[in-house]
Amino acid sequence: MKLFYSVTSPYSRKVFLLAKSLGMGGEVDVIHTNPLQNDPAFMKINPLGKVPALVQGGKTYVDSPYIAEHLLRLAGQDRTGDAYMNRLEVQAYADGIMDAAVALRIESTRPAAERSALWQKRWYAAIDRGLAYLEANVVDALSGWKLDSISVACMLDYLLFRLPDLAWQKDHPKLAAWFAEASNRKDMLETDPRQG
């Protein structure tokens, strides 16, 4: 299978780490892609022009939650019951925080006079509320290296990478302690976006 991947995309990283955790790392051919270049060949693969995109057996899977579902299905993982739904919920919160962080990153590249203070405030607030929710309701239940923990780890590292002044660790000490351990995993170190 071919994974169209950007080193700086937390969604790409999440999907790749999930594939590795499911024992499929050796089956994934990572194709480094810059979606901002609007390469016509990549646009044929994913008309949305976004990474990650996974191609297998002539079919393209787009959007990281959909790709994650495909990988879990391929691995024969149980995708029913409360534990599965809880992992999907955590992924949704982590992805939502990443969405706000990516939007802030993109906004920061615009000329200062064109940036929207309203939207920046909303995105920062969404990140803060999302982190507070994870701190209060999720972090104590994270165990093992599954979709939920991988999603949270990729999200927290993206915040450190792209929004280093956020200093989320002070207000969310349990998340900070959990991440300090998760970030030292071999696969997290090998996929560190700062190396790209």
Side-chain angles (χ1 to χ4, degrees):
M1 63 185 93
K2 294 181 178 180
L3 177 64
F4 291 82
Y5 180 98
S6 170
V7 172
T8 57
S9 163
Y11 311 100
S12 292
R13 188 183 193 190
K14 175 184 75 172
V15 164
F16 183 54
L17 290 179
L18 178 63
K20 289 182 73 162
S21 78
L22 295 170
M24 299 178 193
E27 299 170 42
V28 176
D29 180 16
V30 173
I31 300 168
H32 293 277
T33 306
N34 181 347
L36 298 179
Q37 291 178 341
N38 296 322
D39 176 16
F42 179 62
M43 295 302 157
K44 284 180 93 173
I45 291 163
N46 183 1
L48 299 175
K50 295 169 59 177
V51 291
L54 182 78
V55 177
Q56 184 187 32
K59 178 165 175 54
T60 301
Y61 300 84
V62 299
D63 200 33
S64 65
Y66 182 44
I67 297 169
E69 282 294 302
H70 176 63
L71 294 172
L72 292 168
R73 183 176 59 86
L74 284 178
Q77 295 282 310
D78 180 16
R79 293 173 10 258
T80 60
D82 291 343
Y84 171 70
M85 293 304 294
N86 289 341
R87 284 192 289 277
L88 289 185
E89 178 189 18
V90 173
Q91 176 187 221
Y93 274 98
D95 281 2
I97 294 168
M98 286 190 290
D99 291 346
V102 168
L104 282 164
R105 166 66 180 163
I106 292 169
E107 190 76 359
S108 75
T109 66
R110 298 175 67 193
E114 295 178 17
R115 296 177 196 166
S116 169
L118 170 73
W119 281 106
Q120 289 178 83
K121 184 177 178 182
R122 285 184 60 84
W123 292 323
Y124 275 116
I127 291 170
D128 190 52
R129 289 190 306 266
L131 291 173
Y133 180 85
L134 294 176
E135 176 85 2
N137 302 290
V138 171
V139 69
D140 291 335
L142 291 176
S143 64
W145 195 235
K146 300 182 181 84
L147 178 61
D148 52 355
S149 52
I150 290 169
S151 298
V152 171
C154 290
M155 175 271 294
L156 292 174
D157 200 32
Y158 188 78
L159 294 180
L160 289 173
F161 174 49
R162 290 300 198 196
L163 303 174
D165 295 335
L166 192 60
W168 56 266
Q169 302 94 321
K170 177 174 164 279
D171 293 330
H172 310 290
K174 290 194 290 186
L175 275 173
W178 178 85
F179 180 71
E181 200 170 309
S183 64
N184 282 314
R185 292 182 56 91
K186 183 174 184 277
D187 48 359
M188 283 290 287
L189 295 171
E190 289 173 348
T191 58
D192 186 338
R194 298 156 191 86
Q195 301 176 76

